[in-house]
Amino acid sequence: MTALAHAALEQLTDLLGNRCLTDQESAERYGVDWTKVWAPAPCAVALPETADEVQQIVEIANEHGLHLVPSGGRTGLSAGAVAANGELVVAFDRMNTILDFNEFDRAVTVQPGVITQQLQEFAEQKGLFYPVDFASAGSSQIGGNIGTNAGGIKVIRYGMTRDWITGLKVVTGKGELLDLNKGLIKNATGYDFRHLFIGSEGTLGFVVEATVKLAREPKDLTALVLGAPGFREVMKILHAFQQDIDLTAFEFFSDKAMAHVLAHGVPKPFDTECPFYCLLEFEQLSEQIGEQAMAIFEKCVEEGWVLDGVMSQSLQQLDQLWQLRERISESIAPHTPYKNDISVSIASVPDFVEDVDKVVQDAYPDFEIVWFGHIGDGNMHLNILKPADLAKEDFFAKCNNVSKWVFEIVEKYNGSISAEHGVGMTKKPYLEYSRSPEEIACMKAVKAVFDPNNVMNPGKLFDV
């Protein structure tokens, strides 16, 4: 843990009191996310409670040449919230209040430390729905979701975090407080800086307040789990259902993913063994929609696209079918997975998956590849499991080769090296596979406007 300059520490302590932490335990708790590559080494941890305190922290940082790293739920997978080089961590755990609710606009105003699940439950109490949902909803924070433009399992119907943020208050790298868009649905008055801050990973400034719109609560959700003979058939199933039914989710996973989940005690949906599986969800608002879904299912069977399937008949069975998808990460975790979060256009998905499979298997035939993801929006999670007899260091060294090959294929298909987890430090060396030199130059120029002294989360996304 790097020592904090005495003058800076004195000012931070005067401002925050015992909410300025300098002990090693706090450094290790707040200086990391779910990546384990870099050891936490912040100089201290600041826990502000107000936007004014955040402004003053930024002013102190500029005065003393401190670098600031934002810390939310610490569930990130790209090292975007890791403080490995003596930075001051600004943790938003104390800024966790739901400030206001407007029933006419169906909008809620929150501080950045509000937990995603907390917002979901608040919406439910109001008879509404916050649709951005993913495995870490119980611990991730809204500010972090905004910083990475989080997606999840409902994007096919509801879009990304960006689509639900109607207003932001941010503190820039200069310590200015900006009130962006003010919760308006329509606002045609020039540049909308709100969208620059969404997905910027805290490199332009820190979110201190957000206005989030809510949706109608979905009713009578029904899920189908279908087994397919190949990946191209999965895409045909998606197309067949999307033609006539508004899906709320369309997820896929391989037989290898299924095997790991079943080994963790999740009940098997049906006896037929299939190379690929898809889980689709929709609102069965009428008997007619249910009959329509069954007719599409039967057509898919007749065409040979579906080998077997099951439809939920109760909320309990709906939850049970979702376990097949939601417990994949948990079930493969003991195998030290190398993870990649990538996206291409939906039409390119089958060819992309084939290309990646071939490259990895040709080079490392002993590696087990586990595919799953949000196929309805072109987002795939590539997981390569470590062989039991291979040392962790050797495995990750080989995976570095894999990253380059995979991202070259991503570039070939005009895809993204990070669909929803951000760039951080883990994918910073590969940004050029998704962004042109001209785009990266523009990003750096934008950062210089909002953060001229490079105090805001430096070393993430790109190096200035």
Side-chain angles (χ1 to χ4, degrees):
M1 185 169 177
T2 307
L4 179 61
H6 178 74
L9 177 59
E10 192 173 67
Q11 285 182 262
L12 288 167
T13 303
D14 286 345
L15 175 65
L16 303 171
N18 61 8
R19 290 180 285 117
C20 179
L21 311 174
T22 57
D23 60 287
Q24 187 63 34
E25 183 180 347
S26 296
E28 292 176 358
R29 175 185 175 188
Y30 291 100
V32 296
D33 59 13
W34 280 357
T35 56
K36 306 299 180 186
V37 179
W38 291 271
C43 63
V45 178
L47 288 160
E49 293 181 345
T50 65
D52 180 65
E53 288 184 345
V54 175
Q55 282 186 275
Q56 291 185 63
I57 290 169
V58 174
E59 289 167 2
I60 293 169
N62 276 282
E63 180 183 349
H64 295 280
L66 294 177
H67 291 153
L68 305 178
V69 172
S71 178
R74 296 170 285 281
T75 60
L77 292 167
S78 295
V82 174
N85 299 294
E87 303 97 333
L88 173 67
V89 171
V90 182
F92 290 93
D93 297 53
R94 299 287 189 97
M95 296 180 68
N96 59 1
T97 302
I98 294 176
L99 300 169
D100 188 36
F101 171 67
N102 186 317
E103 63 179 318
F104 299 104
D105 289 320
R106 293 202 301 195
V108 57
T109 302
V110 301
Q111 290 184 306
V114 167
I115 302 294
T116 308
Q117 185 175 330
Q118 180 187 351
L119 177 56
Q120 292 169 337
E121 291 171 353
F122 177 86
E124 188 176 352
Q125 292 166 10
K126 300 296 183 182
L128 295 168
F129 181 56
Y130 181 59
V132 180
D133 195 14
F134 35 78
S136 63
S139 52
S140 68
Q141 296 178 6
I142 296 301
N145 297 350
I146 293 168
T148 57
N149 188 28
I153 59 177
K154 305 285 188 181
V155 171
I156 189 173
R157 173 71 175 272
Y158 296 104
M160 306 282 282
T161 296
R162 181 184 305 281
D163 299 295
W164 297 92
I165 305 301
T166 58
L168 281 181
K169 286 185 180 178
V170 298
V171 174
T172 72
K174 293 192 287 188
E176 297 169 332
L177 179 66
L178 302 182
D179 190 355
L180 305 175
N181 199 58
K182 301 178 181 177
L184 298 174
I185 300 299
K186 301 178 94 173
N187 182 6
T189 54
Y191 304 135
D192 191 345
F193 292 135
R194 166 185 46 145
H195 289 296
L196 281 177
F197 283 83
I198 298 171
S200 67
E201 301 182 43
T203 60
L204 303 179
F206 295 161
V207 174
V208 293
E209 190 177 298
T211 302
V212 185
K213 66 179 180 178
L214 304 175
R216 172 186 64 79
E217 194 169 19
K219 299 175 182 177
D220 301 312
L221 287 173
T222 302
L224 279 161
V225 171
L226 307 175
F231 204 88
R232 294 184 186 278
E233 285 75 18
V234 171
M235 304 306 294
K236 291 175 181 177
I237 295 167
L238 170 62
H239 181 66
F241 276 91
Q242 272 195 309
Q243 280 187 307
D244 294 308
I245 293 178
D246 292 324
L247 300 176
T248 55
F250 192 97
E251 302 285 300
F252 89 102
F253 42 98
S254 67
D255 55 347
K256 292 182 175 65
M258 173 73 88
H260 284 284
V261 170
L262 297 181
H264 270 63
V266 179
K268 198 173 186 179
F270 42 75
D271 290 333
T272 307
E273 302 286 341
C274 306
F276 288 96
Y277 299 85
C278 57
L279 184 154
L280 58 96
E281 182 189 72
F282 60 94
E283 292 181 277
Q284 193 173 173
L285 298 174
S286 66
E287 188 176 327
Q288 181 183 359
I289 293 175
E291 292 172 353
Q292 196 171 26
M294 286 306 300
I296 298 169
F297 165 70
E298 290 167 3
K299 177 190 175 184
C300 290
V301 172
E302 291 170 6
E303 295 286 348
W305 304 338
V306 169
L307 302 177
D308 206 343
V310 63
M311 179 186 286
S312 64
Q313 301 299 320
S314 65
L315 287 175
Q316 182 181 5
Q317 193 178 15
L318 173 70
D319 179 68
Q320 194 175 76
L321 292 179
W322 265 109
Q323 293 299 306
L324 294 166
R325 167 62 182 86
E326 291 182 335
R327 291 186 62 183
I328 294 173
S329 291
E330 170 193 339
S331 69
I332 64 175
H335 302 275
T336 316
Y338 159 79
K339 293 175 172 286
N340 243 315
D341 158 50
I342 44 192
S343 67
V344 295
S345 66
I346 297 171
S348 300
V349 167
D351 290 335
F352 175 81
V353 170
E354 285 182 8
D355 284 359
V356 171
D357 269 338
K358 185 175 188 311
V359 163
V360 178
Q361 290 298 328
D362 284 353
Y364 303 120
D366 56 332
F367 282 2
E368 180 182 353
I369 301 175
V370 175
W371 287 101
F372 66 92
H374 322 297
I375 199 66
D377 54 56
N379 178 194
M380 292 149 290
H381 298 298
L382 165 65
N383 295 263
I384 301 173
L385 309 191
K386 185 183 80 64
D389 59 351
L390 185 63
K392 186 185 295 187
E393 295 75 17
D394 294 336
F395 174 64
F396 284 122
K398 291 182 177 182
C399 286
N400 284 333
N401 293 331
V402 171
S403 286
K404 186 173 185 299
W405 301 331
V406 169
F407 294 148
E408 285 173 351
I409 298 171
V410 167
E411 184 178 36
K412 170 185 170 184
Y413 286 99
N414 293 314
S416 172
I417 62 168
S418 181
E420 58 181 0
H421 293 163
V423 174
M425 289 193 285
T426 61
K427 293 191 175 182
K428 180 174 66 174
Y430 310 106
L431 185 61
E432 64 186 19
Y433 288 100
S434 289
R435 298 294 191 183
S436 69
E438 293 80 10
E439 285 180 291
I440 295 172
C442 287
M443 288 182 188
K444 292 180 178 181
V446 168
K447 180 170 173 64
V449 170
F450 291 100
D451 182 27
N453 295 325
N454 193 30
V455 301
M456 299 306 236
N457 214 10
K460 315 296 167 55
L461 272 177
F462 47 71
D463 291 316
V464 175

